[in-house]
């Protein structure tokens, strides 16, 4: 089910498994299940371990965690690793022994706990359900636990007093993964194979993966998709690939439905701003690199969706594009574009670019006008060091090269490439690595467990396929060419050279007069020399740069930040260093300004400069934009407590 735009105070609006279509069913699906206390026991039982000679455990499942207590040979007074938060669990499966004489069934749980140094590492725990004399009874018990755990992970309600059976689970969610193999330092493909694919396979998600091969490839691709076959589109790259996807969805004749398709991001690029905001929304500590990727992958496995504000940007030529991140002019856009030549450094390119930008600091004359926000609750609070004002603030926050392409889109199942298994098993676990069925099939475990008399385990799926059905769900072929457009639309198919910025669909900008005409009453105008101007929607400007910590994905606001001329290089550097903690608002810098707005217009009065939208270079000249609240849907996972690791 795909949600319509919701109120800003609605935390979790959508989760894997909700398939309702009618308005009544949609309301029921979005309504959270009755709250349970975090410590309420849902299941309790005794299990053995694998191999069978290991200790025995008492397991207790609550809405927030799995509690593991060793019973034999000697109970632990202080069990180590005895509490497994569900926020660290990617998925589970049931297994059976290949030995016909073994009546036990097995429950395997995949976790990604944080190590002593903060990084995550995969660990698998396998428990032996052996309380009954027959395999069928033990299998029912293992599947009861696997079903309950999967429902909790995906936000699906459990029956109050009914029986927990695999029939509670819907079909596996289907994801389209789009990867830019040149993202970041060119490690995106390797990170995807080694980390993303194993985790989402453990979670039981069905997926196709396609490599993008040139600029605008993703934009053209989503224009031709049969979106009803997908539960989400996830980019495995930096912010640029998601920019293409969203603008491609809004370019379709059916953009009103298309833009509701949930989109997600798994950070494998150099600019991972939205992933940083998703990570914070999930309650995880700030992270970079693989740790940020694992955090966002864990959240994706949970499947929670949230309304996403989009910014409609009208450029000087009259063309329009849609932004989910930021419009930048001056120092920020200069660093973004000029650091492209350091892309091989990954996220360090921005650090180097900032140092070079400070050495050659420029000012730009311009005019900024904005329609102030009227939502008082969304204004920055005094605790964040921001004064509340409706005019200019004196203290406030600043906040892949084209390649030759083949005529066919290539999915993982089409590529004659092996998927080498990464060394993900923790030293304390004897679990073998999963052999991935990369187009939506289930897990297949293989390997020698090394124990005399302990036969290897094979998969025992929770929801078996109907008789005669293929193992992998067949989706319609993904082909390159003209998108699905009714002949009456009058819209030409996209061309390979179409600029990414231009969008022909999307809602009208009812708050904006035509560019170049006078603004209506109620707007505030600032004119002068600026070092930078930033219009940002989410909280983060980078994975570790919190430009607007009070921002939410669906607050209906664009957060305007600017720095006037006269600021010293040292003071500007302090502003950017403070962004790592989101504390730049309390620096007391007189050149720093902030305003929350619903729409804005920027008119550069300097003949030369750089303008970017979501990090993409756009034509230089006057532009204007307005917020469209909750226009998109972002896969965020369930909300956590920001700043506190689960």
């Amino acid at each position: 089910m795909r949600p319509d735009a919701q109120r800003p105070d609605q935390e979790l609006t959508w989760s894997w498994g909700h398939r309702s279509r009618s308005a009544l069913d949609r309301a029921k699906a979005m309504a959270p299940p009755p709250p349970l206390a975090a410590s309420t026991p849902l299941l309790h039982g005794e299990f053995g371990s694998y191999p069978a000679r290991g200790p025995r455990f008492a397991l207790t499942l609550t809405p927030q965690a799995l509690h593991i207590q060793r019973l034999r040979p000697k109970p632990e007074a202080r069990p180590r690793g005895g509490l497994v938060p569900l926020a660290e669990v990617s998925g589970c499966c049931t297994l059976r022994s290949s030995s016909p004489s073994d009546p036990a069934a097995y429950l395997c749980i995949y976790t990604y706990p944080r190590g002593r140094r903060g990084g995550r590492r995969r660990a698998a725990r396998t428990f032996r359900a052996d309380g009954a004399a027959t395999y069928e009874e033990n299998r029912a018990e293992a599947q009861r636990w696997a079903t309950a755990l999967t429902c909790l992970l995906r936000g699906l309600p459990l029956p109050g007093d009914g029986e927990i059976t695999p029939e509670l689970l819907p079909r596996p969610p289907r994801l389209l993964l789009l990867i830019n193999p040149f993202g970041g330092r060119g490690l995106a493909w390797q990170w995807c194979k080694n980390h993303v694919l194993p985790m989402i396979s453990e979670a039981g998600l069905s997926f196709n993966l396609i490599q993008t091969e040139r600029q605008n490839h993703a934009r053209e691709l989503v224009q031709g998709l049969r979106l009803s076959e997908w539960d989400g589109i996830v980019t495995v790259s930096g912010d640029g690939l998601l920019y293409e996807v969203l603008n491609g969805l809004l370019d379709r004749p059916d953009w009103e439905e298309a833009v509701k398709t949930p989109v997600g991001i798994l950070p494998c690029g150099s600019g991972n701003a939205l992933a940083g905001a998703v990570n914070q929304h999930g309650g995880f500590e700030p992270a970079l690199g693989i740790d940020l990727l694992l955090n966002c992958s864990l959240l994706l496995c949970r499947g929670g969706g949230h309304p996403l504000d989009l910014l409609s940007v009208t450029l000087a030529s009259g063309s329009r594009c849609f932004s989910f991140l930021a419009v930048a002019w001056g120092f920020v856009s200069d660093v973004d574009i000029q650091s492209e030549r350091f892309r091989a450094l990954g996220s360090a390119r921005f650090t180097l670019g900032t140092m070079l930008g400070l050495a050659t600091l420029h000012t730009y004359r311009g005019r900024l006008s904005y329609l102030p926000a009227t939502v008082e609750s969304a204004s920055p609070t005094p605790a964040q060091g921001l004064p509340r004002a409706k005019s200019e603030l004196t203290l406030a926050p600043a906040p892949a090269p084209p390649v030759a392409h083949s005529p066919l889109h290539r999915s993982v199942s089409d590529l004659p490439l092996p998927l080498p298994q990464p060394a993900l098993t923790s030293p304390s676990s004897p679990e073998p690595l999963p052999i991935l069925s990369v187009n939506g099939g289930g897990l297949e475990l293989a390997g020698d467990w090394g124990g005399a008399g302990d036969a290897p385990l094979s998969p025992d799926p929770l929801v078996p396929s109907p008789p005669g059905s293929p193992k992998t769900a067949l989706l319609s072929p993904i082909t390159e060419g003209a998108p699905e457009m009714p002949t009456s639309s009058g819209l030409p198919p996209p061309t390979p050279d179409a600029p990414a910025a231009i969008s022909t669909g999307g809602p009208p900008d009812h708050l904006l007069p035509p560019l170049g005409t006078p603004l209506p009453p109620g707007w505030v105008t600032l004119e002068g020399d600026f070092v930078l101007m930033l219009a940002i929607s989410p909280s983060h400007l980078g994975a570790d740069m919190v430009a607007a910590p009070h921002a939410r994905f669906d607050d209906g606001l664009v957060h305007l930040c600017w720095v006037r001329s006269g600021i010293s290089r040292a003071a500007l550097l302090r502003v950017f260093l403070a962004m790592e903690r989101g504390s730049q608002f309390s620096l007391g810098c007189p050149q720093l300004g902030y305003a929350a707005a619903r729409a804005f217009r920027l008119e550069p009065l300097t003949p030369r400069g750089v303008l970017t939208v979501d990090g993409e270079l756009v034509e230089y000249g006057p532009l204007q934009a307005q917020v469209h609240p909750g226009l998109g849907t972002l896969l965020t996972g369930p909300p956590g407590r920001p700043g506190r690791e689960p």
Side-chain angles (χ1 to χ4, degrees):
M1 146 38 302
R2 295 167 184 159
D4 298 323
Q6 298 297 308
R7 300 187 310 274
D9 61 346
Q10 206 164 354
E11 280 296 332
L12 184 63
T13 63
W14 178 88
S15 61
W16 294 138
H18 289 156
R19 302 284 173 250
S20 308
R21 294 296 176 183
S22 70
L24 179 60
D25 288 339
R26 185 159 54 237
K28 289 180 180 178
M30 288 183 181
L36 293 171
S39 59
T40 302
L42 301 175
L43 290 178
H44 181 79
E46 181 177 332
F47 286 79
S49 58
Y50 189 88
R53 300 172 311 285
R56 296 192 66 79
F57 300 94
L59 303 187
T60 303
L61 181 63
T62 72
Q64 297 296 327
L66 176 68
H67 300 258
I68 305 171
Q69 182 183 10
R70 190 173 72 182
L71 298 176
R72 287 181 294 218
K74 182 180 179 181
E76 293 175 301
R78 295 183 178 179
R80 292 185 300 173
L83 177 66
V84 180
L86 296 192
E88 296 179 349
V89 178
S90 62
C92 62
C93 68
T94 56
L95 307 168
R96 68 175 301 174
S97 172
S98 60
S99 171
S101 61
D102 186 359
Y106 297 84
L107 171 67
C108 184
I109 301 171
Y110 303 99
T111 66
Y112 289 79
R114 288 167 58 100
R116 293 181 179 179
R117 297 183 180 180
R120 296 195 184 278
R121 191 172 184 181
R122 178 185 182 274
R125 302 287 298 269
T126 300
F127 300 97
R128 176 185 172 101
D130 54 5
T134 65
Y135 168 73
E136 287 70 22
E137 293 175 286
N138 290 323
R139 179 194 186 203
E141 179 66 6
Q143 290 193 338
R144 189 164 73 102
W145 279 75
T147 300
L149 183 55
T150 302
C151 286
L152 291 177
L153 292 175
R154 296 185 183 175
L156 301 173
L158 288 170
D161 53 1
E163 194 171 344
I164 300 174
T165 63
E167 285 68 29
L168 291 174
L169 299 176
R171 64 162 175 80
R174 295 168 179 163
L175 297 180
L176 176 62
L177 305 184
L178 303 178
I179 179 172
N180 173 12
F182 302 99
R185 293 174 293 166
L187 297 176
W189 178 238
Q190 178 182 337
W191 284 12
C192 182
K193 290 189 296 181
N194 292 353
H195 302 286
V196 174
L197 300 187
M199 187 184 294
I200 64 176
S201 296
E202 294 162 359
L205 305 183
S206 172
F207 64 91
N208 266 35
L209 187 147
I210 295 176
Q211 293 186 58
T212 60
E213 299 167 336
R214 62 187 183 280
Q215 189 175 8
N216 290 338
H217 191 179
R219 180 170 178 245
E220 298 165 14
L221 173 66
V222 299
Q223 288 179 294
L225 285 180
R226 187 174 298 136
L227 294 173
S228 60
E229 295 181 345
W230 305 98
D231 297 298
I233 301 174
V234 179
T235 60
V236 187
S237 184
D239 296 311
L241 201 59
L242 185 58
Y243 172 82
E244 289 190 22
V245 168
L246 285 170
N247 278 275
L249 292 174
L250 283 157
D251 237 356
R252 294 170 57 113
D254 61 344
W255 65 265
E256 291 181 85
E257 274 302 309
V259 76
K260 297 176 185 177
T261 302
V263 297
I265 188 165
L266 296 178
C268 288
S270 52
N272 300 312
L274 187 63
V278 170
N279 183 72
Q280 175 178 282
H281 178 270
F284 292 122
E285 296 290 340
L288 295 172
I290 290 179
D291 290 335
L292 178 62
L293 175 62
L294 292 177
N295 287 353
C296 291
S297 299
L298 280 171
L299 292 169
L300 177 69
C301 291
R302 305 291 294 275
H306 206 84
L308 177 67
D309 295 342
L310 296 180
L311 196 65
S312 168
V313 184
T314 302
L315 304 176
S317 63
S319 61
R320 218 167 47 138
C321 61
F322 288 85
S323 162
F324 64 87
L325 183 57
V327 177
W329 176 54
F331 185 84
V332 173
S333 57
D334 291 347
V335 168
D336 204 351
I337 298 303
Q338 293 173 8
S339 66
E340 282 284 343
R341 62 183 186 272
F342 309 125
R343 181 171 285 275
L345 299 177
S347 59
R349 64 178 260 216
F350 298 111
T351 302
L352 179 57
T354 298
M355 295 299 103
L356 294 177
L358 287 171
T360 59
L361 193 61
H362 298 289
T363 59
Y364 302 87
R365 187 157 191 85
R367 184 182 302 117
L368 173 64
S369 305
Y370 61 90
L371 177 62
T374 57
V375 183
E376 186 67 19
S377 62
S379 301
T381 62
Q384 293 166 318
L386 286 174
R388 298 185 181 184
K390 293 186 178 179
S391 58
E392 181 176 2
L393 304 182
T394 56
L395 297 175
V403 295
H405 60 276
S406 68
L408 295 176
H409 293 300
R410 298 180 297 176
S411 71
V412 168
S413 56
D414 300 326
L415 292 174
L417 299 176
L419 290 179
Q421 296 304 308
L424 293 175
T425 304
S426 67
S428 61
S429 172
E431 301 295 314
L433 295 173
I435 298 175
L436 302 181
S437 172
V438 297
N439 196 28
L443 289 173
E444 296 177 358
L445 299 187
D448 185 1
W449 292 77
D454 293 315
L457 306 180
S458 59
D460 185 10
L462 288 181
V463 184
S465 302
S469 64
K471 177 181 176 181
T472 298
L474 296 178
L475 303 175
S476 65
I478 302 171
T479 57
E480 184 164 1
E484 294 177 348
M485 291 186 179
T487 55
S488 60
S489 68
L491 297 176
T495 62
D497 298 323
I502 298 175
S503 180
T504 55
D509 297 325
H510 63 282
L511 297 177
L512 296 173
L515 194 60
T517 62
L519 293 167
W523 285 60
V524 177
T525 298
L526 316 174
E527 184 172 335
D529 294 325
F530 296 88
V531 172
L532 66 86
M533 197 289 295
L534 180 69
I536 189 166
S537 295
S539 55
H540 284 56
L541 182 59
D544 57 348
M545 295 186 68
V546 188
H550 50 281
R552 300 192 304 268
F553 294 122
D554 60 346
D555 57 13
L557 302 174
V558 56
H559 303 272
L560 300 176
C561 312
W562 61 86
V563 175
R564 284 188 176 274
S565 63
I567 190 172
S568 67
R569 289 178 173 84
L572 184 58
L573 180 58
R574 283 195 294 270
V575 167
F576 280 97
L577 290 176
M579 277 191 189
E580 294 183 3
R581 304 176 302 278
S583 61
Q584 69 274 17
F585 299 170
S586 57
L587 290 177
C589 178
Q591 290 85 17
L592 197 57
Y594 169 85
R598 300 171 62 200
F600 73 92
R601 175 183 289 180
L602 174 63
E603 300 169 274
L605 303 178
T606 302
R608 293 183 180 179
V610 174
L611 281 169
T612 58
V613 176
D614 294 357
E616 302 295 322
L617 183 66
V618 297
E619 60 183 285
Y620 187 71
L623 62 77
Q624 61 184 17
Q626 82 161 67
V627 179
H628 292 278
L631 182 60
T633 301
L634 180 66
L635 293 171
T636 60
R641 298 178 62 185
R644 293 180 61 91
E645 189 74 20

